């Protein structure tokens, strides 16, 4: 069942090119850049609220940013907090529940809260026939195929691509076509990373570190959080992700020569320059820096190791960066002999609040 892979997690990481192609198939017009998704027809919300947990919440953070960039008011909420402090809704609010399993109790209850308030709901899920798919007004399937490993990998990538479909369906953006083209190239770029990643060497080198930090700005913030979550859940080592700009507001106190900092830097615009500035600060504290980069900036100069990703649209780069981090987490956990597919204390779907 693992088709020659040692773990389902590694198998599922390698299934990403195929999963992403399936997510896009028949849904985008490559000539015009327009998106044609049955489930999203006629949607024209004034604002969008994403609700999700864990990895799916990181996809939601990405999705909210993509929608804001496209001119739609959008926010991401942790589903377990949404019920405690529900955001105000209007007649034209759309609540989007991102949930791989479609069975996560917190996400279902946030979606039910939306139903109670008469707000339109959309489930973004992997599982046909799941509770979220049955209960929501609309369902956008991410088509990633079954995911057995407890750690979500391919489904995160597919959720991010589905968020781009949503953003494109809701707005006319001038660069819609460039984004669609970048999405079309994404599966083969993921394959390039899978064929030739230095993640195993990076894992070997830093397996004994006392803690790990992940920093990035904008879309890369979501990936920084995801990189840290993946590493902590399967390796049981302490890992923390945060927006690069927050480093000096506290976390920098923990940065030492025993705590590698993974810096996500693509392009060479203002965001990249600022993150390179943060990288110099951690380098000055003797922390090993692992740059995950397309090579467009000079971050590599300050890095102890570089994990390369192919160049692409800034909207799409985070998926590629995340694939490198999935591999790092996998190889660190493997070195440590952890129970990768079934980490202690965790369940694939969390059906209690
Ligand atoms: C992490 C992980 C969890 C899930 C979370 C939500 O690797 O798998 O954090 O992302 O429990 O699950 P779904 O997406 O099924 O609602």
């Amino acid at each position: 069942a693992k088709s020659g892979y040692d773990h389902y997690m590694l198998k599922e990481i390698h299934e990403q090119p195929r999963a992403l192609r399936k997510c896009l198939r028949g849904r985008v017009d490559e000539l015009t850049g327009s998106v044609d998704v049955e489930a999203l027809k006629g949607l024209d919300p004034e604002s969008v609220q994403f609700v999700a947990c864990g990895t799916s919440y990181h996809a939601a953070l990405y999705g909210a940013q993509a929608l804001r960039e496209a001119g739609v008011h959008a926010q991401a909420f942790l589903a377990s907090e949404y019920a405690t402090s529900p955001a105000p809704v209007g007649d034209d609010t759309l609540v989007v529940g991102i949930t791989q399993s479609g069975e996560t109790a917190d996400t279902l209850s946030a979606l039910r809260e939306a139903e109670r308030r008469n707000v339109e709901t959309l489930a973004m899920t992997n599982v046909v026939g799941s509770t979220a798919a049955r209960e929501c007004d609309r369902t956008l399937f991410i088509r990633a195929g079954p995911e057995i490993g407890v750690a979500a990998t391919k489904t995160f990538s597919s959720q991010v691509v589905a968020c781009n479909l949503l953003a494109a369906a809701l707005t006319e953006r001038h660069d819609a076509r460039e984004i669609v083209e970048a999405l079309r190239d994404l599966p083969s770029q993921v394959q390039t990373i899978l064929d030739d990643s230095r993640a195993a060497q990076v894992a070997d080198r830093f397996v004994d570190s006392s803690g790990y930090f992940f920093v990035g700005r904008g879309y890369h913030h979501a990936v920084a959080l995801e990189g840290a979550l993946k590493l902590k859940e399967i390796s049981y080592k302490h890992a923390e992700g945060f927006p690069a700009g927050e480093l000096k507001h506290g976390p920098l106190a923990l940065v030492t020569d025993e705590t590698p900092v993974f810096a996500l830097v693509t392009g060479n615009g203002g965001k990249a320059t600022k993150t390179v500035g943060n990288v110099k600060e951690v380098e000055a504290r003797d922390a090993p820096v692992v740059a995950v980069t397309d090579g467009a900036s000079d971050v590599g100069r300050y890095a102890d190791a570089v994990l390369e990703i192919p160049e692409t649209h800034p909207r799409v780069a985070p998926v590629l960066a995340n694939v490198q981090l999935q591999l790092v987490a996998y190889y660190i956990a493997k070195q440590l002999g952890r129970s990768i597919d079934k980490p202690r204390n965790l369940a694939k779907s969390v059906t209690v609040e």
Side-chain angles (χ1 to χ4, degrees):
K2 285 183 258 182
S3 342
Y5 291 101
D6 288 346
H7 297 92
Y8 281 108
M9 183 181 176
L10 189 61
K11 172 174 181 265
E12 287 157 5
I13 288 172
H14 280 264
E15 281 170 353
Q16 287 177 114
R18 195 163 152 246
L20 296 175
R21 279 190 195 103
K22 276 190 101 176
C23 185
L24 290 167
R25 191 163 301 152
R27 289 170 160 180
V28 292
D29 181 330
E30 284 172 20
L31 279 179
T32 60
S34 64
V35 157
D36 185 13
V37 182
E38 198 54 43
L40 306 178
K41 284 249 160 67
L43 265 183
D44 187 21
E46 205 138 274
S47 69
V48 174
Q49 297 174 355
F50 288 93
V51 293
C53 303
T55 290
S56 295
Y57 172 68
H58 301 151
L61 282 175
Y62 172 99
Q65 197 181 328
L67 290 190
R68 289 196 297 269
E69 198 175 41
V72 181
H73 289 281
Q75 278 175 285
F77 297 90
L78 283 164
S80 57
E81 290 292 307
Y82 190 78
T84 316
S85 171
V89 289
D91 288 345
D92 294 317
T93 303
L94 172 71
V95 173
V96 180
I98 305 187
T99 166
Q100 186 283 128
S101 62
E103 304 297 345
T104 299
D106 285 316
T107 308
L108 291 176
S109 75
L111 287 166
R112 286 170 188 154
E113 170 66 27
E115 297 274 355
R116 257 195 303 281
R117 296 194 285 165
N118 271 321
V119 173
E120 182 160 27
T121 54
L122 168 73
M124 187 185 286
T125 184
N126 196 30
V127 180
V128 177
S130 61
T131 306
R134 281 188 280 110
E135 291 187 3
C136 287
D137 300 318
R138 297 167 183 256
T139 304
L140 177 59
F141 289 108
I142 64 168
R143 305 179 182 163
E147 191 175 64
I148 310 244
V150 162
T153 51
K154 62 176 178 173
T155 55
F156 174 80
S157 299
S158 298
Q159 287 167 343
V160 166
V161 166
C163 284
N164 278 295
L165 295 177
L166 179 62
L170 296 188
T171 58
E172 298 280 321
R173 241 183 84 99
H174 66 280
D175 62 349
R177 208 167 117 195
E178 286 153 47
I179 295 174
V180 164
E181 277 170 12
L183 291 173
R184 185 199 52 197
D185 293 341
L186 178 63
S188 62
Q189 291 184 319
V190 169
Q191 191 63 53
T192 307
I193 295 174
L194 296 174
D195 290 343
D196 186 26
S197 172
R198 298 183 52 80
Q201 286 98 305
V202 167
D204 274 0
R205 185 156 162 203
F206 297 114
V207 62
D208 294 323
S209 300
S210 62
Y212 305 82
F213 297 108
F214 295 79
V215 299
R217 283 188 148 68
Y219 295 116
H220 286 321
H221 167 216
V223 173
L225 296 179
E226 175 59 8
L229 176 62
K230 212 85 318 172
L231 182 57
K232 77 180 91 167
E233 72 181 319
I234 62 168
S235 76
Y236 315 153
K237 302 265 292 214
H238 184 256
E240 200 180 325
F242 40 83
E246 281 296 295
L247 250 176
K248 44 176 160 300
H249 299 290
L252 199 52
L254 294 175
V255 169
T256 69
D257 60 0
E258 286 175 41
T259 59
V261 177
F262 288 78
L264 305 158
V265 187
T266 51
N268 59 2
K271 278 201 284 271
T273 309
K274 283 186 181 168
T275 306
V276 173
N278 302 124
V279 163
K280 291 180 193 164
E281 284 161 4
V282 305
E283 197 216 8
R285 270 92 191 157
D286 294 326
V289 172
V290 181
V292 185
T293 182
D294 56 5
S297 68
D298 63 351
V299 69
R301 275 212 278 163
Y302 310 98
D304 296 84
V306 172
L307 292 170
E308 272 177 63
I309 63 169
E311 266 183 60
T312 181
H313 193 280
R315 183 77 83 71
V316 175
V319 178
L320 297 171
N322 189 58
V323 171
Q324 290 285 23
L325 299 186
Q326 291 171 343
L327 291 168
V328 170
Y330 174 79
Y331 286 113
I332 289 181
K334 193 170 180 206
Q335 283 272 336
L336 294 169
R338 303 301 192 219
S339 164
I340 292 179
D341 286 332
K342 275 184 180 297
R344 68 187 180 199
N345 309 338
L346 300 178
K348 183 67 183 162
S349 71
V350 182
T351 52
V352 288
E353 285 184 45

